[in-house]
Amino acid sequence: MPDAILSALLLQAGYNAALVAIGSALLGIAAGAGGTFLFLRKRALVSDAVAHATLPGIGLAFILMVALGGDGRNLVGLLAGSAVSAAVGLLLVDWIVRHTRLAEDVAIGSVLSVFFGLGVVVLTVIQSMSSGRQAGLEGFLLGSTAGMLRQDALVIAVGGALALAVLVLLRRPMTLVAFDPGYAAARGVRVQAVDLAMMALVLAVTVIGLKVVGLILIVAMLIIPPVTARLWSERTDSVVLIAGALGGLAGYLGAAVSASAPNLPTGPIIVLVSFALFCISLLFAPSRGVLAAAIRHRRFQRRVHRRQGLLALARNEPILDPLTLKVLRRDGLIRPDKVATDAGRARAAKALRDERRWDVARQMHQDEGVSGGYDGLTAIETVLTPDEIAAIDARIGTPALADKGVV
Amino acid sequence: MAPPKLELAAEDGARAPSPEDIANASLALSEITVSYGEKPAVFSVDAALPRESMVAIIGPNGAGKSTLLKAALGIVPRLSGSVRIFGQELERARDRVAYVPQRASVDWDFPTRVIDVVLMGFYRELGLLRFLRKGHRERARACLERVGMADFAERQIGQLSGGQQQRVFLARALAQDAELYLLDEPFAGVDAATEKAIIDVLHTLKTARKTVVCVHHDLATVADYFDHVLLINVRKVAEGPTSTTFTAKNLQATYGGRLASTHIDQLKLSS
């Protein structure tokens, strides 16, 4: 099996497997990048309604092509049909949100289910037609790459490239609308048109991806890579780039894995690979990852305990908390018998003096800029200038502190 | 017994601006009505705000102050009325206007840095195809400098305090180098240091012969900050120089019973 995956990765597993791998990678790039703005606009689920709304169009296009005496399975014809009905579904969601009191989630849910139901009915009708038995339209539900042709890969490549070109062209208006639609409108950006362009982009990706992953799972390729990319970056343009890269990687790896053994479905495997990348990122991403957050929390907790312990030392209070004792001992601030070391006494005195300084600072500066800086942990030197601290020390009066042996 | 005489809230509120007023105004509004559903949020408001001045739009919560600003910029659709900016149609005057939205109106966890937000101010002049250049970055940095946020340029915007967020929004507006600045509650929920920083910047704008219009909620600072006021409560109540229009009578008419008379006594009002 590893050999089989390796040969598929190196595009050595036969002509069809190589086509599928390249096609899936291209689709993954277009879907990941194209889905990012929808995700940032917090409208990711609209893509699910769009995807499900393709089904009646596929069926009706088939019937129409057969009725006109042609081959009902012509891919371009089927995709054109799916695009039309997906566009109708999309405009319907938009219309419901704009002109009724229904919220977007309701609009998505109803359009998704009604169009999908209609599609299933049309497919059933086709099953009963004499020419419909071998239509193989069910393949559009979950994708079917077994009989993928060069033409199919070409459709994905051209469609994906066009989608990416639109993305590059509209990146600034889409960024503005996703971040701050009010400001965008004030600058003369037509927010509704940009929103529709975002959707149209997703619609195009959905249509070209029908053959590979199918309409039920395409939404995963539009949503998972942007969400994953967001874990790695704090900049819009790099989130788009990383999402495209992750989508392409998932498409390529998924196709290779599914080619390594007979009867492994391509679309679902791509989605699972994408999910695996997400899990890895969720754990290990810097700053937004779960592990990084846990480490930060632990460090913060130790800082709090160290500070509390130092203040207790300075005030000659007993320290009972085991974690506080552990932290102080490990930092060499107390001896094993809980008595402060020289370093511990010095740090404790400084901690207590800073507390006093903060007390005075809060009386002198009433504004949030200073008082907001006081959280019990922030070093006063990072908020106030040496001159200000000297002024505070003058007000505290050194003798009083000296009496207590603090200075 | 004769019925009590009805008194107009304010005489200067009743007069609609003349064509000359509109041509000379920075922002001229004629019979603006905006409605969410079938309840007008702003009803038939006229105003001709003077050029090169600091204008406050004042009124109670729900009076339609922010909505009026958004309608003036075409962010929310108008049911009726027209807008002129320096005598021009809105679409022709877009480049002359900078808008600072309420900071609560956006998601501050958006993946962008402080400098990127300021650079958004250049998007319109860049169009779709041109690239950001070093000069743009330098200008953006200079704008951050003006609001005291230069040290935060590379920070993710989610790490900013409320006051810092407000300053970044102001810096984005400065980047546009506009003539008319429309700010929606720029002082809401910010610390005193930020309020001072913002008002200083706004005053330099006025010195540079720009016009500043703020939706404002703090009656105590109106007389200090602004030289012209527009009082509204769904309808226009009064408009004019702060020295003559910011009176107890007009405030009472704007706020009704919501403003305690003890509060009014403490304000620096014109008589």
Side-chain angles (χ1 to χ4, degrees):
Chain A
M1 175 111 174
D3 287 350
I5 295 179
L6 189 67
S7 67
L9 282 177
L10 298 172
L11 302 177
Q12 304 296 315
Y15 181 65
N16 181 259
L19 263 189
V20 173
I22 293 172
S24 304
L26 293 174
L27 175 66
I29 293 171
T36 301
F37 283 106
L38 209 58
F39 157 67
L40 292 176
R41 184 84 165 107
K42 305 196 195 310
R43 301 184 71 186
L45 270 185
V46 177
S47 61
D48 210 14
V50 168
H52 282 77
T54 55
L55 193 57
I58 295 169
L60 292 174
F62 180 87
I63 293 175
L64 188 68
M65 286 191 287
V66 169
L68 293 174
D71 179 6
R73 286 172 299 178
N74 179 297
L75 183 67
V76 175
L78 292 176
L79 293 189
S82 74
V84 170
S85 73
V88 172
L90 172 60
L91 293 174
L92 209 54
V93 170
D94 203 53
W95 185 87
I96 291 173
V97 174
R98 216 172 281 283
H99 295 284
T100 71
R101 305 188 67 135
L102 299 174
E104 190 166 57
D105 56 343
V106 182
I108 290 170
S110 27
V111 167
L112 184 155
S113 49
V114 170
F115 273 71
F116 191 66
L118 178 65
V120 171
V121 170
V122 174
L123 288 199
T124 316
V125 170
I126 291 173
Q127 286 291 321
S128 66
M129 287 165 56
S130 58
S131 57
R133 298 249 159 71
Q134 287 86 37
L137 296 185
E138 310 80 42
F140 285 105
L141 288 179
L142 292 167
S144 82
T145 51
M148 192 149 149
L149 304 170
R150 193 152 167 270
Q151 181 207 2
D152 301 347
L154 211 62
V155 167
I156 294 175
V158 173
L162 282 177
L164 289 179
V166 171
L167 189 77
V168 170
L169 198 66
L170 295 183
R171 66 192 190 283
R172 283 187 198 127
M174 290 198 295
T175 305
L176 267 191
V177 168
F179 174 58
D180 192 346
Y183 177 78
R187 302 245 57 200
V189 173
R190 285 164 57 219
V191 174
Q192 194 188 347
V194 172
D195 268 336
L196 279 177
M198 256 183 225
M199 308 287 175
L201 201 63
V202 162
L203 191 152
V205 172
T206 304
V207 167
I208 61 172
L210 285 178
K211 185 85 178 171
V212 177
V213 286
L215 62 92
I216 293 177
L217 290 177
I218 185 76
V219 61
M221 296 191 76
L222 289 162
I223 296 179
I224 298 177
V227 175
T228 311
R230 179 68 186 94
L231 290 164
W232 292 99
S233 175
E234 300 286 0
R235 299 186 56 182
T236 310
D237 39 5
S238 45
V239 170
V240 175
L241 290 176
I242 296 171
L246 287 169
L249 184 66
Y252 195 74
L253 287 178
V257 170
S258 80
S260 65
N263 298 325
L264 277 182
T266 310
I269 300 266
I270 291 175
V271 173
L272 290 179
V273 169
S274 195
F275 178 67
L277 293 173
F278 167 75
C279 288
I280 294 168
S281 306
L282 185 65
L283 278 179
F284 298 110
S287 91
R288 292 181 88 89
V290 171
L291 273 181
I295 291 171
R296 261 201 319 275
H297 177 76
R298 201 179 132 94
R299 284 204 186 126
F300 178 72
Q301 189 182 26
R302 296 196 170 228
R303 266 179 74 202
V304 172
H305 279 268
R306 186 180 302 116
R307 184 79 178 176
Q308 284 174 337
L310 285 172
L311 288 174
L313 281 182
R315 291 168 181 147
N316 273 324
E317 291 161 1
I319 301 169
L320 303 173
D321 188 296
L323 180 59
T324 307
L325 288 170
K326 192 175 148 200
V327 171
L328 292 179
R329 227 180 359 248
R330 211 193 46 191
D331 292 353
L333 300 173
I334 57 171
R335 300 200 310 245
D337 60 0
K338 301 184 186 177
V339 176
T341 61
D342 287 347
R345 269 196 298 279
R347 291 274 298 274
K350 165 87 166 69
L352 191 62
R353 191 171 57 218
D354 279 359
E355 282 290 294
R356 297 251 166 83
R357 285 167 165 173
W358 272 117
D359 281 344
V360 177
R362 266 178 301 167
Q363 289 164 16
M364 288 166 66
H365 305 261
Q366 295 289 332
D367 65 282
E368 192 199 333
V370 170
S371 53
Y374 180 72
D375 50 14
L377 291 173
T378 310
I380 197 162
E381 291 86 357
T382 62
V383 180
L384 299 179
T385 63
D387 290 349
E388 287 173 311
I389 294 175
I392 289 169
D393 285 348
R395 277 178 65 157
I396 294 173
T398 330
L401 286 173
D403 288 346
K404 291 178 186 153
V406 168
V407 170
Chain B
M1 207 173 89
K5 196 177 139 214
L6 276 177
E7 196 179 337
L8 267 180
E11 302 75 26
D12 42 355
R15 195 174 64 87
S18 69
E20 296 92 81
D21 292 342
I22 290 173
N24 292 328
S26 55
L27 175 65
L29 307 172
S30 311
E31 297 177 340
I32 299 280
T33 299
V34 184
S35 185
Y36 299 116
E38 288 181 9
K39 188 177 182 306
V42 170
F43 187 81
S44 199
V45 168
D46 295 308
L49 306 178
R51 299 182 185 213
E52 298 172 28
S53 61
M54 298 268 294
V55 183
I57 301 178
I58 300 165
N61 288 333
K65 306 184 293 290
S66 297
T67 302
L68 184 67
L69 212 57
K70 288 179 185 166
L73 288 161
I75 301 170
V76 297
R78 298 187 293 274
L79 212 58
S80 72
S82 65
V83 178
R84 282 281 192 285
I85 290 169
F86 301 112
Q88 284 180 307
E89 294 267 357
L90 175 61
E91 288 308 325
R92 300 176 61 95
R94 287 271 181 214
D95 291 322
R96 306 174 75 176
V97 194
Y99 171 57
V100 179
Q102 286 184 18
R103 67 190 158 81
S105 65
V106 308
D107 170 18
W108 289 91
D109 194 40
F110 197 84
T112 193
R113 298 168 309 168
V114 166
I115 187 88
D116 299 323
V117 174
V118 182
L119 288 169
M120 286 177 192
F122 300 126
Y123 279 9
R124 189 178 160 89
E125 70 175 70
L126 284 168
L128 295 180
L129 292 172
R130 261 165 299 162
F131 288 100
L132 282 167
R133 304 228 171 264
K134 196 160 164 250
H136 292 112
R137 279 173 222 290
E138 280 161 9
R139 276 161 66 195
R141 248 167 226 289
C143 294
L144 282 173
E145 195 83 51
R146 286 172 73 184
V147 298
M149 289 289 292
D151 293 342
F152 293 79
E154 308 294 326
R155 291 272 187 100
Q156 206 274 325
I157 54 168
Q159 300 172 359
L160 304 179
S161 73
Q164 291 167 341
Q165 292 172 350
Q166 193 68 60
R167 293 192 210 189
V168 173
F169 265 9
L170 180 59
R172 178 176 65 178
L174 293 176
Q176 288 174 227
D177 196 20
E179 294 162 62
L180 170 63
Y181 291 78
L182 303 179
L183 299 88
D184 198 347
E185 301 257 13
F187 305 111
V190 304
D191 54 278
T194 296
E195 178 152 344
K196 170 113 182 25
I198 293 176
I199 199 69
D200 286 350
V201 170
L202 297 184
H203 278 139
T204 60
L205 287 176
K206 195 198 159 191
T207 313
R209 312 190 62 187
K210 317 276 188 184
T211 306
V212 176
V213 179
C214 292
V215 169
H216 193 62
H217 66 287
D218 182 8
L219 295 178
T221 51
V222 170
D224 290 334
Y225 292 173
F226 300 99
D227 44 36
H228 195 93
V229 291
L230 169 61
L231 300 172
I232 65 167
N233 189 350
V234 182
R235 294 155 183 269
K236 180 170 89 170
V237 178
E239 187 214 325
T242 310
S243 56
T244 56
T245 309
F246 192 59
T247 60
K249 186 178 149 201
N250 282 337
L251 279 177
Q252 204 66 265
T254 312
Y255 285 80
R258 275 184 271 194
L259 203 64
S261 50
T262 49
H263 187 178
I264 290 188
D265 291 342
Q266 288 160 8
L267 298 173
K268 289 185 202 166
L269 295 171
S270 41
S271 45

